[in-house]
Amino acid sequence: MATVVSNLLPEVDTFLEKSLQRPLVGGKEAEASDGSTFETHDPGSGDILATVPNFTAKDVDAAVAAAQKAFDKSGWATMAPNERGVLLHRLADAVEKRIPIIGQIEALDAGKLEPHAQGDVANFVATIRYFAEMAQHIARRNALAVKGHEAWTMRHPWGPCGFIFPWNFPFLLIGWGISPALAAGNSVVIKPAEDTPLSAIYLSHLAKEVGIPDGVINVVTGTGEKTGAAVSQHKGFKRMGFTGSPEVGRMVGEACGKNLIPVKLELGGKGAAVVFEDVDVCDTAAKLVGAITFHSGQVCCDATRWLVHKNVYNDFVSECSKLIKQVNVGYQMDGTTQMGPVVNEKQRKRVLSYLEKGVKEGAKMIVQGGPAEVSGKTGHYVKPALMEGTLENVAAKEEIFGPVAYLAKFDSEDQAIAMVNSTDYGLANSVWSTDLNRCSRVAEQMRAGNSWINAHNLFPHGVPYGGIGKSGLGGGVNSPETLFDYWRSVSCVRPL
């Protein structure tokens, strides 16, 4: 480990001291067959955190074979749901006991504030338990009332499922992805983002420790071009899940389409917050500033377009400007930091480029944004920014994935709805008003998978979460429907 961070837990120090971070495939530590590796860095300091295998297509073949073997022979797919639930709860318990450890690993690797990283780990625990419990209370065999026939359906797990996860919420999204697949009796192959592989590697070892059968959970690390492409193109998977950008999502969808593999795509967004004239301006401004600066704006479902009624627009802008200028940008492991770095230099340049392009197209900078300097650190820091202008501006149309909000005025409910829906994305929006009838009316008319009322970024288990258009396809997550996605159905019919 090249990074130097004080006050790390001893377990984290021990984990990072390994010369090579080997994930488990088929229950055994694995390296790339060609010996290739890459380095993962602390985005807040630029220091090297770990060296990780860069798996080849041959290595992905081995992981899929291990997942298939576990599905066929380990008993995981055929054991009673309560027995499988016992093992999943043991995994959840083990993760819960290590929230501080995994939280520090995640904070270092992803640039997250440590409390936020711990919250992600806790969400993983809740997700595993939610699906483990649900799978025990759903009848997989269902009789059908059909005239003249005895008929029923039976649900079975599919087999090996592939997952490609992004770098913004590595551990949380692993939970969202693999929990229903495992609870349904499938085996999984996890491809974490090359920027943030460490928590997935840690999880693979923990799964073996608690008794999950070898090969049920496999992790393949590597670059997107090499390992990610091999995963998305592999014919041995029965289902695929991808979370990331629409651009890469199209390539994954195309590859799965060629292999006739069902795919779930959770992609980006350009969400809106509609702020009506009757809101508490200070409270609403504080919540939206908190949302856009949370994890440095690297949140696909964020409200990045703030549509504000003309009667409160000036007051709202003034309050938001005051609050956003007070945000303390700093190293993620510093307890006084309110907003940490973005994940890498490529992402930093992307954010800064949109500020420049937006101004060139006529947007006004309300709060300047731009590069941020953090004393003693050479990480990837930017200042949060506020812009305003027309919704035809590139900064209002394209996903920036950084701490940048774009403001525009409206003067009627119908105009606000039209403005919300003037995008190819369709992930999540919110409406803010004390008139709950109006909130419901507007929420139902916004074209997206999710509409939130007087809040933003809500993910209670049991509520479907997914996108439409450029924001995704194939179904949502965190709901009963998600569990059913990971069972295939066979219809059995006999004439009477």
Side-chain angles (χ1 to χ4, degrees):
M1 180 181 72
T3 191
V4 179
V5 182
S6 60
N7 299 322
L8 288 184
L9 295 168
E11 297 89 344
V12 176
D13 274 324
T14 300
F15 176 76
L16 294 176
E17 284 172 356
K18 298 175 183 176
S19 58
L20 181 66
Q21 292 289 348
R22 298 176 179 87
L24 293 192
V25 174
K28 298 179 180 178
E29 292 192 355
E31 300 181 21
S33 55
D34 64 357
S36 62
T37 61
F38 65 98
E39 294 171 344
T40 181
H41 296 79
D42 176 349
S45 66
D47 294 333
I48 298 170
L49 281 176
T51 302
V52 183
N54 189 11
F55 283 175
T56 66
K58 178 180 178 181
D59 303 320
V60 173
D61 287 342
V64 177
Q68 186 67 61
K69 180 180 178 181
F71 183 78
D72 292 337
K73 298 181 179 181
S74 73
W76 180 258
T78 55
M79 68 175 59
N82 62 308
E83 294 177 7
R84 200 161 47 236
V86 167
L87 291 172
L88 290 174
H89 275 291
R90 286 179 184 169
L91 179 60
D93 291 344
V95 171
E96 187 171 42
K97 290 176 183 177
R98 294 163 177 81
I99 285 177
I101 298 169
I102 304 173
Q104 280 196 348
I105 292 169
E106 192 85 330
L108 286 169
D109 209 19
K112 286 179 173 285
L113 304 191
E114 197 168 346
H116 296 170
Q118 291 190 8
D120 290 355
V121 181
N123 187 282
F124 175 100
V125 172
T127 305
I128 286 277
R129 288 177 175 159
Y130 172 74
F131 283 108
E133 289 292 324
M134 187 193 305
Q136 297 177 53
H137 297 96
I138 293 179
R140 293 193 295 123
R141 187 184 189 279
N142 291 278
L144 303 176
V146 181
K147 181 181 178 180
H149 297 81
E150 179 187 22
W152 69 94
T153 60
M154 183 66 189
R155 299 186 179 92
H156 296 283
W158 288 86
C161 299
F163 292 92
I164 301 174
F165 293 109
W167 42 257
N168 58 336
F169 289 87
F171 205 70
L172 179 149
L173 291 175
I174 288 175
W176 285 14
I178 71 170
S179 296
L182 293 173
N186 301 281
S187 54
V188 302
V189 175
I190 299 167
K191 161 59 177 77
E194 62 197 83
D195 287 296
T196 55
L198 297 184
S199 59
I201 295 172
Y202 190 94
L203 176 67
S204 70
H205 288 264
L206 200 56
K208 184 176 181 68
E209 180 180 319
V210 301
I212 302 290
D214 291 348
V216 169
I217 297 177
N218 308 276
V219 173
V220 292
T221 55
T223 62
E225 296 83 359
K226 186 177 182 180
T227 317
V231 170
S232 66
Q233 296 166 13
H234 205 284
K235 297 180 180 180
F237 290 118
K238 304 305 180 186
R239 286 197 67 93
M240 180 70 65
F242 170 82
T243 307
S245 70
E247 294 76 20
V248 180
R250 286 192 179 97
M251 292 188 287
V252 173
E254 181 180 1
C256 290
K258 288 181 179 179
N259 293 328
L260 298 180
I261 295 172
V263 61
K264 185 189 296 287
L265 301 175
E266 299 290 335
L267 309 178
K270 196 67 180 176
V274 178
V275 180
F276 282 97
E277 70 278 11
D278 59 347
V279 299
D280 181 321
V281 168
C282 293
D283 180 66
T284 304
K287 288 176 178 175
L288 286 176
V289 168
I292 199 63
T293 55
F294 178 78
H295 195 29
S296 304
Q298 299 169 122
V299 183
C300 57
C301 53
D302 243 341
T304 55
R305 297 178 297 151
W306 296 354
L307 312 179
V308 184
H309 194 278
K310 64 179 182 180
N311 290 352
V312 292
Y313 184 83
N314 290 339
D315 289 343
F316 185 79
V317 168
S318 177
E319 182 67 18
C320 289
S321 299
K322 179 187 74 175
L323 293 174
I324 213 161
K325 289 175 182 176
Q326 295 172 354
V327 172
N328 179 31
V329 179
Y331 185 52
Q332 71 267 23
M333 306 303 286
D334 184 337
T336 65
T337 293
Q338 295 172 299
M339 192 181 90
V342 294
V343 71
N344 55 33
E345 188 58 22
K346 179 182 177 181
Q347 189 62 24
R348 179 176 179 270
K349 289 178 179 177
R350 176 185 175 90
V351 174
L352 298 178
S353 72
Y354 271 103
L355 299 180
E356 183 179 344
K357 289 187 288 188
V359 170
K360 283 185 178 179
E361 289 194 9
K364 176 185 175 183
M365 296 297 300
I366 302 172
V367 177
Q368 188 64 39
E373 299 296 328
V374 174
S375 178
K377 302 295 180 184
T378 57
H380 316 295
Y381 297 96
V382 296
K383 299 175 184 176
L386 294 179
M387 309 176 77
E388 68 176 355
T390 74
L391 296 186
E392 294 303 310
N393 190 281
V394 64
K397 293 175 67 176
E398 298 183 9
E399 186 176 35
I400 299 173
F401 223 58
V404 181
Y406 193 100
L407 290 98
K409 298 177 186 178
F410 70 88
D411 59 16
S412 72
E413 185 176 308
D414 288 344
Q415 183 188 18
I417 293 168
M419 292 168 75
V420 170
N421 294 337
S422 64
T423 176
D424 294 332
Y425 290 96
L427 188 51
N429 304 297
S430 57
V431 54
W432 303 73
S433 172
T434 58
D435 183 342
L436 296 184
N437 288 328
R438 175 164 64 182
C439 286
S440 298
R441 190 168 59 243
V442 172
E444 291 175 0
Q445 295 181 75
M446 296 194 288
R447 286 200 299 268
N450 310 276
S451 291
W452 296 315
I453 295 173
N454 292 328
H456 205 92
N457 294 336
L458 300 174
F459 311 104
H461 291 96
V463 178
Y465 170 81
I468 62 173
K470 282 178 67 176
S471 293
L473 56 82
V477 297
N478 279 348
S479 67
E481 291 93 332
T482 316
L483 181 62
F484 283 89
D485 283 343
Y486 289 98
W487 280 317
R488 61 176 179 83
S489 182
V490 55
S491 297
C492 302
V493 188
R494 179 180 70 87
L496 297 176

